[in-house]
């Protein structure tokens, strides 16, 4: 009891928040960009007016060059990009106000809730995507597709295909029986030149929440399935730029990781690049869209992101009603970001600040997990394990994803106790269920379901706080076990999302 009381008074630790610490945001570099724009007579005026609907042209150019350089490195450094086309061009880029805003715009423009049959989401899912989809009329039409085990390479494609086949057969049958034409009902006319039958939403690299990276072969098969069923894959590629060796190399304290031989190969080819490289690519619309964001590499407050996709898709995305009226959705910030890319300050920030810091924090967290949680029966689920056998050799992103042993309650109960008694917040499996999908919740609570999993983030807190957070979690688990052994019921409070 004394232990519980004193923990109540300690500083809260939040291993749920998936934000970068404020000190890691590129404030100085963005200030330099702003200074360049706002002190230039030729730049300042246009920057303060409405911008082009599809986005600030210089940023579309500098970003296309930046992405091409990054993803070309992927291949040169050993990524399996054999047939992927990694160079992109301005005409494929539409600027957004971040990946979340872009997801909403994509659904507004290319999905019709009366025609688009379903949105499939990798499960466990980035839960904040669900309300965006529901806002766009898809409540009750979201379906989870399990990531599956190691044999599935990051997505259970057989399950996805079965869902696609069943949904298609059912839709065609209902349309035939009711005599209704199977075509867009709400999104018709010249403003909606392309409406997809399906949307598939994934985070294929360093996924939120599972930390997993989808295998190259799974990516190819996913693109094939999307083509077959007229689906648009929305791929949130927001963590691609943050990766490091999963094993300790002894140079974690260095600040020039990119130059060191231990620098890992960057992530695998994007789905959008695989789509382009495979025979039969639909040059006009494609079946893939890379949803990018500067939130993780500059700071979420900058509210600039991008779509990289087939040129017509990019163009039409810029024609969404709010951009027709208001111009590009992140215009002023876009002008600052453009300067930051051109000056090289974005690269310096990623290589010298973000990667070294996250790399150290990752190793600190993994060591604490190994020392304190693994002996209590907790298992690390992510593919980016520190142990050589299970490792892909590359770690990255923001999250560790773990599984509780079977003799303690669900992660939601553990999270509730940790918050109430030790001031520790963790993200629990129930959060990652696909909203409104009853099968998703049943799977979560079933054998080996995600209700026993939880996610810890290393981006928000400093190393000491990460150590303390993992220690508090270990104490919580030990205390729960002890109470259960005495036959005590473990009380669960309702806890919020943030
Ligand atoms: C997978 C994923 N997509 C999108 C976002 C949000 O991106 P943005 O800030 O660009 O809206 C996040 C942030 O946590 C994320 O993890």
């Amino acid at each position: 009891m004394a232990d519980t009381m004193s923990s109540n008074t300690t500083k809260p630790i939040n291993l749920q928040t998936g934000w970068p610490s404020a000190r890691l945001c590129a404030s100085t570099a963005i200030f330099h960009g702003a200074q360049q724009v706002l002190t230039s007579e030729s730049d300042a005026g246009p920057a303060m007016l409405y911008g082009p609907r599809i986005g600030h042209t210089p940023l579309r150019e500098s970003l296309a060059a930046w992405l091409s350089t990054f993803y070309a490195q992927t291949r040169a450094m050993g990524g399996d990009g054999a047939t992927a086309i990694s160079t992109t061009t301005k005409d494929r880029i539409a600027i957004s106000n971040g990946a979340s805003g872009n997801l909403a715009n994509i659904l507004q423009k290319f999905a019709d809730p009366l025609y688009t049959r379903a949105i499939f989401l990798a499960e466990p899912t980035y839960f904040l995507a669900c309300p965006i989809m529901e806002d766009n009329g898809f409540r009750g039409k979201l379906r989870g597709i399990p990531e599956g085990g190691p044999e599935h390479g990051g997505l259970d494609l057989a399950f996805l295909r079965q869902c696609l086949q069943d949904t298609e057969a059912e839709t065609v049958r209902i349309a035939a029986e009711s005599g209704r034409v199977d075509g867009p009902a709400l999104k018709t006319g010249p403003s909606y030149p392309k409406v997809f039958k399906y949307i598939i939403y994934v985070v294929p690299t360093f996924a939120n929440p599972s930390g997993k990276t989808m295998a190259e072969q799974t990516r190819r098969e996913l693109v094939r399935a999307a083509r077959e069923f007229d689906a648009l894959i929305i791929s949130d590629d927001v963590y691609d730029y943050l990766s490091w060796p999963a094993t300790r190399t002894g140079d974690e304290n260095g600040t020039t990781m990119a130059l060191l031989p231990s620098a890992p190969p960057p992530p695998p080819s994007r789905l959008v690049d695989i789509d382009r490289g495979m025979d039969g690519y639909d040059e006009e619309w494609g079946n893939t869209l890379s949803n990018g964001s500067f939130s993780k590499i500059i700071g979420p407050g900058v509210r600039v992101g991008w779509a990289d996709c087939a040129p017509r898709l990019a163009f039409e995305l810029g024609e969404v009603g709010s951009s027709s009226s208001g111009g590009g959705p992140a215009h002023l910030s876009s002008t600052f970001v453009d300067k930051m890319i051109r000056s090289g300050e974005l690269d310096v920030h990623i290589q010298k600040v973000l990667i070294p810091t996250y790399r150290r924090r990752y190793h600190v967290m993994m060591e604490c997990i190994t020392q304190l949680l693994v002996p209590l029966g907790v298992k690390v689920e992510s593919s980016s394990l520190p142990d050589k056998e299970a490792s892909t050799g590359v770690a990255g992103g923001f999250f560790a994803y773990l599984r509780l042993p079977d003799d303690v309650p669900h992660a939601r109960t553990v999270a509730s106790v940790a918050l109430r008694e030790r001031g520790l917040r963790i993200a629990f499996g129930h959060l990652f269920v696909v909203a409104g999908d009853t099968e998703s919740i049943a799977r979560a609570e079933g054998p080996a379901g995600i209700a026993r999993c939880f996610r810890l983030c290393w981006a928000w807190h400093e190393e000491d706080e990460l150590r303390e957070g993992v220690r508090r979690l270990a104490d919580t688990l030990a205390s729960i076990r002890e109470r259960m052994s005495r036959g005590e019921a473990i009380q669960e409070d309702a806890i919020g999302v943030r």
Side-chain angles (χ1 to χ4, degrees), residues 62 82-83 132 139 199 209 255 276 440 458:
S62 59
T83 60
I132 303 173
R139 175 165 290 190
I199 302 290
T255 51
R276 285 175 73 198
S440 177
W458 55 73

Side-chain angles (χ1 to χ4, degrees), residues 245-253 359-360 362-364 367 386:
T247 43
R248 266 200 179 278
T249 58
D251 52 30
E252 283 76 15
N253 292 326
R359 183 179 176 182
R360 281 193 296 272
Y362 162 84
H363 285 293
V364 162
E367 269 171 22

Side-chain angles (χ1 to χ4, degrees), residues 3 371-379 403-410 413-414 417-418 420-422 452 454 472-491:
D3 178 31
Q371 280 165 17
L372 300 174
L373 296 181
V374 172
L376 295 175
V378 172
K379 289 202 172 75
R403 178 175 289 279
L404 290 168
D406 288 339
D407 66 333
V408 293
H410 283 164
T413 312
V414 172
V417 176
R420 184 175 64 231
E421 298 181 359
R422 297 178 196 267
R452 311 203 71 79
F454 58 99
R472 286 189 200 178
L473 184 54
D475 290 348
T476 305
L477 281 179
S479 145
I480 287 177
R481 267 215 180 107
E482 199 260 322
R483 277 181 267 180
M484 287 173 75
S485 72
R486 282 191 272 115
E488 219 178 279
I490 308 297
Q491 208 194 325

Side-chain angles (χ1 to χ4, degrees), residues 18 98-101 126 201 203 208 236 238-239 293 295-296 300 303 399:
S100 313
Y126 169 54
Y201 172 81
V203 187
N208 181 0
D236 272 13
V238 301
Y239 297 104
S293 175
S295 288
K296 313 294 171 194
R303 294 286 85 213
F399 306 111

